[in-house]
Amino acid sequence: MSDDRRTSRRKEEHVQLCTDADVRFRRKTTGLERYDFDYVALPELNFDQLDTSCEFLGKRLTLPLLISSMTGGYDGATAINAALARVCQRRGLALGIGSMRQALESNAHAESFRIARREAPDVPLIANIGGTQLVQGVGIEQIERLVALIGADAVAVHLNPLQELLQPEGTPRFRGVLDAIAELVSNLSVPVIVKEVGAGISGRVAERLVEAGVRIVDVAGAGGTSWAGVELLRSDIADHPLAELWDCGIPTADCIVEVASLRTRAPLIVIGSGGIVTGFDAAKAIALGADLVGIARPLLQALQRGGETELERYLDAWELQLRAAMFVTGSPTIGALRNAHLRQRS
Ligand SMILES: Cc1cc2nc3c(=O)[nH]c(=O)nc-3n(C[C@H](O)[C@H](O)[C@H](O)COP(=O)(O)O)c2cc1C
């Protein structure tokens, strides 16, 4: 089988497993449950006058929400990206596209990526490539091609050493990735976002990224989808010697606090993601220091369950929860929510 067909098959398996199997962390949580909102009995606000909008990549979002990078590169991905893009366009949300490595290997599924911009002409759209690809021959020119393919507003580089280690056909080769990211930041025509895929970016790692010039970090912490789990399920090995790594990773809440603390050194946009499910989770992530949040698997599952109608219903409830959190913390805007107090549960 050719490389591009192998990549396509893997992308399809990922979506299937994330839809049908329980690939959440088993013992670890996001850590957001350690916090409560500090209830404000004197909010001096009207519920119908809250402003949930924020700016991201030079565009206005109606909610501080990014649909995290998921898919592209096989037949079924076109319908998924089209639906996600339509919902983002209708509601004014940002959208991440799944790894575009396949588009560099062949033109066969270019439409599965291109469709996103066609259906969402006005939203921030984010291209995606693996950090390990940057040290295996994918250079700036090729990444500019990916940017052009979807009219991307930014490129997300995913760091996924744990996933590559456990992926049966993975390439756990990360030597040189930081230098390659620095070069990309200096030369690319659009901003670079660095993200994990659900095991988290610590403050220490983010510090090195900031030194390399990165100004947008998506923590993608532990507590939601376990990509070690997904790859362990794809592996045929019984009693896998690395099975314990299913729960490897840093809780999302800890990542947000650590990475946001680096704002004293450089202007930094922090995306809080990994296990964000409700609007309450989002509000806590923002109060801990995130500018906006990202959600992947729960939105894919809503879409697969009941199409765009179900996804819209999910987002209606999510928005109501976010607004409720803003009201009970006396936060009229997302900026104010960033300064809301949380109480750590004892
Ligand atoms: C089906 C699926 C495919 C994904 N593919 C990619 C990918 O290609 N590139 C990437 O950076 N992240 C990918 N992710 C990871 C997500 O962007 C996200 O970081 C991770 O799932 C944690 O968020 P969650 O707990 O909300 O699912 C994928 C997630 C899902 C559910």
Side-chain angles (χ1 to χ4, degrees):
M1 198 189 293
S2 62
D3 277 356
D4 70 297
R5 291 199 34 215
R6 248 194 304 273
T7 306
S8 293
R9 203 165 71 179
R10 182 168 64 246
K11 295 289 144 195
E12 189 163 10
E13 281 175 24
H14 283 162
V15 166
Q16 251 165 22
L17 280 168
C18 284
T19 306
D20 302 333
D22 187 356
V23 291
R24 288 172 298 179
F25 277 73
R26 289 181 167 160
R27 294 183 304 275
K28 197 168 275 172
T29 62
T30 60
L32 293 168
E33 73 291 342
R34 292 186 226 129
Y35 298 92
D36 271 325
F37 299 114
D38 199 9
Y39 175 67
V40 175
L42 197 57
E44 292 293 330
L45 284 176
N46 296 338
F47 186 69
D48 59 2
Q49 287 172 339
L50 301 168
D51 178 3
T52 58
S53 71
C54 71
E55 202 181 295
F56 182 52
L57 299 172
K59 294 179 177 170
R60 202 84 203 148
L61 304 183
T62 61
L63 293 171
L65 179 58
L66 157 73
I67 298 188
S68 300
S69 313
M70 279 191 275
T71 200
Y74 71 96
D75 279 344
T78 308
I80 295 175
N81 278 340
L84 295 176
R86 277 192 294 271
V87 170
C88 285
Q89 178 71 16
R90 273 200 297 274
R91 297 189 79 114
L93 309 177
L95 176 61
I97 298 303
S99 171
M100 299 176 78
R101 171 184 175 180
Q102 206 278 340
L104 295 174
E105 292 166 351
S106 128
N107 273 332
H109 300 289
E111 184 58 14
S112 69
F113 300 106
R114 225 171 4 223
I115 189 89
R117 181 50 93 198
R118 265 217 309 283
E119 296 288 355
D122 303 316
V123 310
L125 195 57
I126 302 164
N128 187 288
I129 194 76
T132 183
Q133 258 79 63
L134 301 182
V135 288
Q136 290 177 83
V138 174
I140 304 267
E141 270 168 43
Q142 283 162 298
I143 298 187
E144 289 289 4
R145 258 176 40 214
L146 299 179
V147 169
L149 183 66
I150 61 164
D153 297 281
V155 171
V157 175
H158 62 264
L159 302 179
N160 61 339
L162 176 66
Q163 182 190 5
E164 293 290 346
L165 179 67
L166 291 168
Q167 189 171 99
E169 64 280 60
T171 46
R173 303 180 65 84
F174 282 77
R175 180 171 285 205
V177 169
L178 186 61
D179 284 348
I181 289 174
E183 203 187 318
L184 204 57
V185 170
S186 304
N187 295 302
L188 202 66
S189 60
V190 295
V192 172
I193 300 171
V194 177
K195 75 187 284 290
E196 230 285 337
V197 299
I201 291 183
S202 67
R204 283 182 190 205
V205 168
E207 222 173 301
R208 291 157 67 202
L209 293 170
V210 167
E211 268 167 35
V214 174
R215 292 293 177 265
I216 313 177
V217 175
D218 179 344
V219 302
T225 308
S226 164
W227 276 90
V230 173
E231 299 300 352
L232 284 164
L233 291 183
R234 288 185 65 236
S235 148
D236 282 337
I237 307 170
D239 296 327
H240 198 300
L242 301 180
E244 204 176 311
L245 293 179
W246 184 298
D247 270 284
C248 177
I250 307 163
T252 295
D254 298 353
C255 294
I256 294 171
V257 170
E258 291 177 22
V259 177
S261 74
L262 299 175
R263 285 205 186 95
T264 51
R265 308 212 193 151
L268 200 57
I269 295 172
V270 180
I271 303 171
S273 77
I276 303 291
V277 178
T278 68
F280 298 124
D281 296 335
K284 287 182 190 176
I286 291 168
L288 285 176
D291 292 277
L292 68 159
V293 301
I295 308 182
R297 185 166 167 268
L299 299 181
L300 176 70
Q301 286 186 308
L303 184 69
Q304 305 290 59
R305 219 169 31 240
E308 287 171 53
T309 312
E310 180 65 19
L311 181 50
E312 294 273 12
R313 218 189 336 250
Y314 183 108
L315 291 171
D316 285 343
W318 193 92
E319 178 172 348
L320 178 63
Q321 291 158 349
L322 175 71
R323 285 179 179 275
M326 290 170 74
F327 187 64
V328 300
T329 56
S331 312
T333 61
I334 296 302
L337 184 60
R338 278 264 302 283
N339 293 320
H341 288 154
L342 294 174
R343 280 172 188 260
Q344 208 152 356
R345 283 182 198 166
S346 43

